[in-house]
Amino acid sequence: MGATTVKLTREQVAARILKGEHIVIYNQQAIRVPDSWLDIHPGGFLTILHFIGRDATDEIQAYHDDATLRHLQKFAIGTVDGLWEPLQPPIMTGWRRRVVDASGKREWVNEGATLIPKEHTELAPSSQVLLVQKQQGGPALPNLTPPPASLSLKEEAKISAAFKVLHQRVKDAGLYQTPFVTGYGPEVARYLFCAGMSAYAYFNNYLFVSAVFLGMLWHQLVFTVHDLGHRGVTANVLWDRIIAVFLADFVGGLSIGWWIDSHNVHHLVPNHPSHDPDIQLLPFFAVTPDMIHSVWSSYYQRIIEFDAFSKVVIQVQHKMFYIVLALARFNLYVNSYGFLFRSIIDPALSKGTRWSFRMEWICLAGFWTWMISLLYGCGSWKMAFMYVMVSNIVASPLHVQIVLSHYSMSTADMGPTESFPKRQLRTTTDVSCPQALQFLHGGLNLQVTHHLFPRLPRHNLRAASALVKEFAKEQGLTYNEFAFIEGNKDVVNHLRGVAEQIAILGRVAEGEVQEAIEHSRKVKVL
C-alpha cells in the first residue's frame, strides 16, 4: 500500500480488475479498495463498484472530508500518467464479485447483460440497461471496454478541472460551515411547534388536527434527516448518524440506514434505469420506456418486472401521479423494514455500521410503542385508521418535491467518460421558489447544487447555487430550473409521454408476435 512511485498502464489496471481487484483512479493515483473496506464502507459498497476503472476524483472529493482523503493515500498502489481513459466498471455490464462460501471466497457472478441498441445516438447511447439474460464464466477485457460515446475525453476533463476550481471557491466562501443559529434555530422552533400542537390537539380530542400537525412534523423533520445522512450538520459521521437514527427511526419510524444506502447510489448514478433505485418504481411509475424490458436492478438484486399489472397501471400513471405520491410514505416503511431484515440475513450489509443497526431496531421499537399507544387512545379503529392516513398523507408534499427534480430529466447513460458535474446537471433540475417559502421545500428545491456538493449544509445551498450557475454558463452547460407549478406540469406530461411510448412499443411487440405466429402457421401448411 502507498507505492505511489509505481507507474501503471491502463492495460495493467484492467488486468488487475479482471483478477478481482477493486481499483479506482483518484488524483492520478490508482487506489485499490480491499474487500474488507468494501464491506464496511459507510456509503455502501455499490458506490465504489460503480467507479471501478474510472477516474472518481470529483466524486470522492465531493463525498469525503479532508481527513478521509488523507487516509485514502494508504490504499494507493501506483500512479497513472496523463488523461485517464476510463474503463467500464464490471457492474455496469452485469458483473460483480460475490461471496460464494463460508470461507469468504469471492467469485465473479453475472447478474445481467446489457441491452445495446443497434445504433448509437445521444438519446439512446450504446451503454444502457441491464436485462436478465446472463452469461457464463467471468468478465473479459471487452466487458471493461466502454461502448461508443459521443463525448470528448478532453472536453470532459476540462469541465472536471473547472469543477475543481468551483469546489475550492465554495470552500473558500465558508459554505461548508453549518449555520446552527440562523439555519437550524428556526428549524427546531418549527419542529417544537408542530409537536406541541399535535400533542395539545390530541389530548383535547381534536384527533384530525393532531394528525395534521404530526404529518407536518414528519414532513419538516425529513429535511434535517436528509442533511444528517449526508453529514451536512455536524460534519462528524458518528454524531450525524446518532442524531439521524433518533429523528428518522424513533420519531419518524423510518430507517436511516436504508435511506443512506440507497440515496448515495442515487446520487452517483442518477436516473439510470438499472442502477438508480429512486426511479425503479414499477408497477406504479415508469419514467423511461426502457422499463418495458425486465430490467435487472443492481441495487435491489432482483428483476424489476414489467408484468401485466404494470402494463395496466403505467398507461394511467400520469392520472394516478398525486394519488400514488399521497401514499408514498407507506412505501418508505416497506423499503426501510425490508432493508433492516435483509441486514439480518446478510450481515455484510451491516458489517460496517452494526452499532447503528442495533440502535435503529431499538429506536423503531420505541416508535411503534408510542405510535400504537397513540392509536389505541383514539378510541376506535376508525379514528385510528383516520389518524394513520391523515398523518402520513400530510407528509406527502415531500415526495412531490423529490420527484420534480429528476422524473422529467434524462435517463440516458452517457458512459464512464462523462464528467461528474455534467452528469449531475444533465439529470437534475432545481425548483425555483421565493426564499421566504424555501422552508417548505427543505433545500431540496436546489437539487442541482446539492447533487454537486452533497455534504454542503442546505442553508448554504442558495449562495452556492449562484456560483454553480456561473460555472455552468462558463462551461456551456445547461442549469435546469423551473417553478413549482411548471415543474408539476412538466413531470405529469413526461409521465403521459412515457405511457404513450410504452403503449406503442407494446402494440409493436404484440404485432411482431402475431406476425411470427402467422408465419409459423404458413410454414406448417407448406
Side-chain angles (χ1 to χ4, degrees):
M1 294 293 181
T4 55
T5 59
V6 178
K7 296 290 185 181
L8 294 175
T9 65
R10 186 172 184 267
E11 290 72 22
Q12 289 173 322
V13 171
R16 297 183 71 148
I17 291 174
L18 292 175
K19 289 180 181 179
E21 295 185 33
H22 309 295
I23 299 176
V24 299
I25 306 302
Y26 171 70
N27 272 346
Q28 301 298 111
Q29 294 180 308
I31 306 295
R32 184 172 72 84
V33 182
D35 288 339
S36 58
W37 178 246
L38 189 74
D39 290 340
I40 65 173
H41 183 229
F45 63 88
L46 282 173
T47 57
I48 295 176
L49 295 187
H50 281 296
F51 289 88
I52 300 300
R54 298 172 60 177
D55 188 330
T57 303
D58 290 339
E59 287 84 354
I60 290 173
Q61 290 180 344
Y63 281 84
H64 301 86
D65 55 29
D66 292 340
T68 303
L69 296 179
R70 287 191 294 271
H71 181 69
L72 192 66
Q73 308 302 317
K74 298 178 181 179
F75 298 98
I77 59 172
T79 61
V80 297
D81 289 330
L83 284 182
W84 177 254
E85 185 180 351
L87 297 164
Q88 183 86 320
I91 196 169
M92 301 298 283
T93 54
W95 292 97
R96 179 180 153 199
R97 290 182 65 79
R98 303 185 66 169
V99 175
V100 294
D101 56 37
S103 68
K105 180 182 178 182
R106 296 173 188 258
E107 291 183 357
W108 285 110
V109 176
N110 181 244
E111 299 174 330
T114 48
L115 167 67
I116 301 180
K118 295 179 180 179
E119 296 182 1
H120 170 82
T121 66
E122 186 174 351
L123 294 178
S126 298
S127 174
Q128 202 63 18
V129 299
L130 293 179
L131 305 180
V132 296
Q133 293 91 342
K134 299 184 179 181
Q135 306 170 25
Q136 301 298 319
L141 189 58
N143 296 108
L144 302 185
T145 303
S150 57
L151 301 179
S152 164
L153 183 59
K154 289 184 178 180
E155 286 299 316
E156 296 305 307
K158 176 185 174 184
I159 294 172
S160 178
F163 176 72
K164 291 178 177 61
V165 174
L166 170 65
H167 199 171
Q168 190 60 50
R169 290 183 66 191
V170 170
K171 291 179 180 179
D172 293 343
L175 297 179
Y176 273 102
Q177 302 301 314
T178 302
F180 288 105
V181 176
T182 59
Y184 284 102
E187 301 282 349
V188 173
R190 277 194 292 272
Y191 303 156
L192 294 177
F193 173 77
C194 290
M197 289 298 295
S198 180
Y200 176 81
Y202 181 85
F203 288 113
N204 284 276
N205 207 35
Y206 301 123
L207 298 183
F208 182 85
V209 175
S210 175
V212 168
F213 275 103
L214 178 59
M216 291 170 62
L217 173 64
W218 285 341
H219 174 268
Q220 287 291 298
L221 270 183
V222 165
F223 301 137
T224 295
V225 172
H226 175 268
D227 301 344
L228 292 161
H230 280 295
R231 291 184 297 146
V233 180
T234 71
N236 180 290
V237 64
L238 177 62
W239 281 111
D240 275 358
R241 179 62 70 92
I242 289 174
I243 300 170
V245 170
F246 174 77
L247 295 180
D249 295 70
F250 180 76
V251 181
L254 302 174
S255 167
I256 186 62
W258 160 73
W259 181 85
I260 290 175
D261 191 71
S262 67
H263 193 67
N264 282 333
V265 175
H266 156 70
H267 263 260
L268 291 169
V269 283
N271 275 19
H272 194 295
S274 285
H275 304 298
D276 181 1
D278 280 16
I279 68 166
Q280 295 171 343
L281 298 172
L282 286 179
F284 299 109
F285 294 129
V287 299
T288 169
D290 285 325
M291 301 308 292
I292 195 173
H293 306 286
S294 292
V295 176
W296 172 263
S297 168
S298 61
Y299 178 79
Y300 289 112
Q301 294 292 291
R302 63 179 175 83
I303 299 168
I304 306 297
E305 189 173 357
F306 188 81
D307 54 17
F309 182 67
S310 300
K311 184 177 180 180
V312 173
V313 174
I314 296 306
Q315 292 184 47
V316 292
Q317 62 176 352
H318 50 291
K319 297 178 181 179
M320 296 180 59
F321 179 65
Y322 295 106
I323 297 174
V324 173
L325 290 185
L327 304 173
R329 188 176 175 87
F330 294 104
N331 187 54
L332 300 187
Y333 294 123
V334 173
N335 286 328
S336 291
Y337 304 147
F339 178 79
L340 290 174
F341 279 113
R342 287 199 307 275
S343 72
I344 296 175
I345 299 172
D346 182 5
L349 287 175
S350 59
K351 192 173 182 180
T353 52
R354 196 162 292 163
W355 65 269
S356 174
F357 280 80
R358 291 170 180 165
M359 185 178 174
E360 285 203 66
W361 282 112
I362 294 172
C363 285
L364 285 173
F367 168 80
W368 285 109
T369 298
W370 70 258
M371 175 55 75
I372 291 174
S373 299
L374 206 64
L375 298 178
Y376 182 78
C378 288
S380 69
W381 71 266
K382 291 182 180 180
M383 291 303 296
F385 178 77
M386 179 279 298
Y387 200 94
V388 168
M389 296 303 294
V390 171
S391 58
N392 282 275
I393 290 174
V394 166
S396 65
L398 164 71
H399 307 290
V400 177
Q401 169 67 66
I402 292 172
V403 303
L404 291 187
S405 300
H406 296 287
Y407 272 25
S408 62
M409 302 304 292
S410 171
T411 58
D413 174 12
M414 303 306 292
T417 301
E418 186 175 31
S419 64
F420 170 66
K422 189 172 183 178
R423 181 171 60 255
Q424 300 301 336
L425 268 71
R426 177 175 59 83
T427 58
T428 312
T429 183
D430 278 0
V431 179
S432 60
C433 73
Q435 189 166 0
L437 297 179
Q438 190 164 300
F439 76 95
L440 294 174
H441 300 271
L444 298 183
N445 56 302
L446 298 169
Q447 278 288 292
V448 174
T449 302
H450 169 62
H451 266 248
L452 292 173
F453 307 107
R455 293 183 297 112
L456 208 65
R458 65 180 157 95
H459 302 96
N460 296 336
L461 287 175
R462 184 174 287 270
S465 68
L467 300 178
V468 174
K469 289 178 180 178
E470 290 179 16
F471 160 80
K473 185 176 181 180
E474 291 170 356
Q475 299 305 312
L477 302 174
T478 301
Y479 189 108
N480 295 288
E481 184 177 30
F482 46 43
F484 185 77
I485 300 299
E486 179 189 354
N488 275 264
K489 292 178 180 179
D490 199 45
V491 168
V492 171
N493 288 333
H494 176 77
L495 292 176
R496 180 188 291 109
V498 171
E500 291 171 351
Q501 291 180 65
I502 288 179
I504 292 172
L505 290 172
R507 287 195 293 271
V508 170
E510 290 173 1
E512 290 177 346
V513 170
Q514 187 63 38
E515 183 179 342
I517 292 174
E518 292 298 327
H519 177 72
S520 176
R521 288 174 179 173
K522 290 179 181 179
V523 170
K524 288 181 180 179
V525 170
L526 294 174

